[in-house]
Amino acid sequence: MLNFDDVRKLPVSPGAQRIPYGPRAVEFGDLRLPGGLPKGHGRCPVAIVIHGGCWSSEYNLDHIASFADALTQAGVATWNLEYRRIGDADGGWPRLYRGWPGTFEDVARGADYVRVLGPKYALDLDRVVAVGHSAGGQLALWLAARTKLPKASPLYSSEPDKSIRLRGVVSLAGIPDLRRAFRENVCDDTARQLLGGSPAEVPERYHDASPIELLPLGVPQRLVHGTEDSTVPLAFSHDYAMAARRSGDDARLIVVPHAGHFELIVPGSLAWPVVEAAVREMLGRGAVQ
């Protein structure tokens, strides 16, 4: 099985543009554009890429850069987001609380910034998908789920028309159920740190942050998960996909035999063809040119 160190050593092509989407130091994204579009191709489809790492500042967007690079080489513009994470120095809250609500505010703001980037970089705003790995899978699904937030939520948007419209979501070994993540101690209790307490202490935050509690999302979803994942159990994606389908969503689990947690974000791995095909499907294209 591949591990995090293997992922960090992967080569990345130069050419990403680092662009701020907000005033804080961590509010930026790396934009990668395909080298050239065939004549008559039109605007470029976009994948909003959200890295994992247990929502912790110990992990940043660099480790998923090779993944974004490979998608870009396949013809998809990628917007690789950074965002506030547990342990970041920004803000005045105690360390325990630094995930909520800032992590979600940043991911929403960063995703919506694609609307600003679109005209300048010839991006196709009708073909935008969110792709996230591990904790980033939860955040990618949450981007689609945020339209279901109650008005009392601090994350509720009074101007939903200004939000980027997603064509689909690809969750790679995601964590779509934060109550379950707390119960099963996935990511060493960081669900508690992310949301500032247990489900008993802050139940409304678990509701507002967990995609499984906001179903149906109303967009197609593909959940890719390896059978040998020892970080996030396969049952998380399996049970979420079943719940999503029961709610009426177009959701499908794609199981990758013999794949662990990190194979899903390694170009050229046994999981890569499955992941790329899922992104292509969500973009609504038979092939990425």
Side-chain angles (χ1 to χ4, degrees):
M1 296 296 106
L2 298 175
N3 58 39
F4 182 70
D5 286 336
D6 296 323
V7 173
R8 289 195 303 176
K9 296 173 183 176
L10 293 172
V12 181
S13 302
Q17 301 178 63
R18 182 154 290 183
I19 302 171
Y21 63 78
R24 298 179 178 85
V26 297
E27 293 175 341
F28 64 86
D30 285 350
L31 179 66
R32 291 177 170 84
L33 300 170
L37 296 177
K39 186 177 180 180
H41 185 282
R43 293 179 176 270
C44 189
V46 186
I48 299 168
V49 177
I50 309 175
H51 73 84
C54 295
W55 310 280
S56 170
S57 60
E58 182 180 353
Y59 304 94
N60 62 32
L61 85 178
D62 290 342
H63 79 265
I64 206 168
S66 61
F67 173 90
D69 187 25
L71 281 182
T72 302
Q73 291 183 35
V76 181
T78 55
W79 176 231
N80 186 9
L81 288 182
E82 194 55 279
Y83 51 90
R84 277 175 284 177
R85 303 168 313 283
I86 300 165
D88 277 331
D90 179 76
W93 285 10
R95 180 184 178 94
L96 182 66
Y97 295 99
R98 282 197 186 130
W100 177 271
T103 294
F104 300 89
E105 292 172 339
D106 284 1
V107 170
R109 186 181 299 116
D112 293 342
Y113 200 73
V114 171
R115 293 170 65 96
V116 177
L117 299 173
K120 181 176 181 180
Y121 295 101
L123 305 179
D124 188 344
L125 299 185
D126 290 325
R127 289 187 293 168
V128 180
V129 300
V131 185
H133 176 242
S134 195
Q138 175 263 327
L139 293 168
L141 290 165
W142 179 84
L143 277 176
R146 60 186 168 142
T147 59
K148 302 300 182 71
L149 290 169
K151 290 185 178 181
S153 172
L155 298 174
Y156 174 80
S157 172
S158 59
E159 299 178 297
D161 291 344
K162 293 186 178 181
S163 299
I164 192 68
R165 184 175 59 186
L166 296 177
R167 191 152 183 166
V169 180
V170 179
S171 171
L172 308 173
I175 312 173
D177 185 341
L178 293 182
R179 291 181 197 270
R180 183 173 183 175
F182 173 84
R183 292 195 307 269
E184 299 185 15
N185 199 31
V186 172
C187 279
D188 298 326
D189 199 40
T190 50
R192 178 197 294 270
Q193 296 178 57
L194 175 72
L195 298 179
S198 70
E201 294 166 329
V202 287
E204 70 287 348
R205 295 182 185 179
Y206 281 82
H207 172 272
D208 293 355
S210 293
I212 198 168
E213 300 196 31
L214 297 169
L215 291 170
L217 307 191
V219 301
Q221 302 147 60
R222 298 295 178 261
L223 297 99
V224 184
H225 218 118
T227 59
E228 307 306 312
D229 194 324
S230 60
T231 302
V232 179
L234 173 58
F236 272 71
S237 290
H238 174 273
D239 294 350
Y240 173 86
M242 290 186 62
R245 286 197 301 274
R246 285 196 299 267
S247 76
D249 274 348
D250 172 10
R252 182 160 60 91
L253 172 65
I254 306 169
V255 177
V256 185
H258 313 300
H261 192 63
F262 292 102
E263 278 80 358
L264 304 186
I265 57 170
V266 174
S269 73
L270 58 87
W272 180 253
V274 175
V275 172
E276 186 177 344
V279 174
R280 289 178 176 179
E281 182 192 1
M282 293 299 91
L283 286 170
R285 310 175 65 192
V288 177
Q289 300 293 327

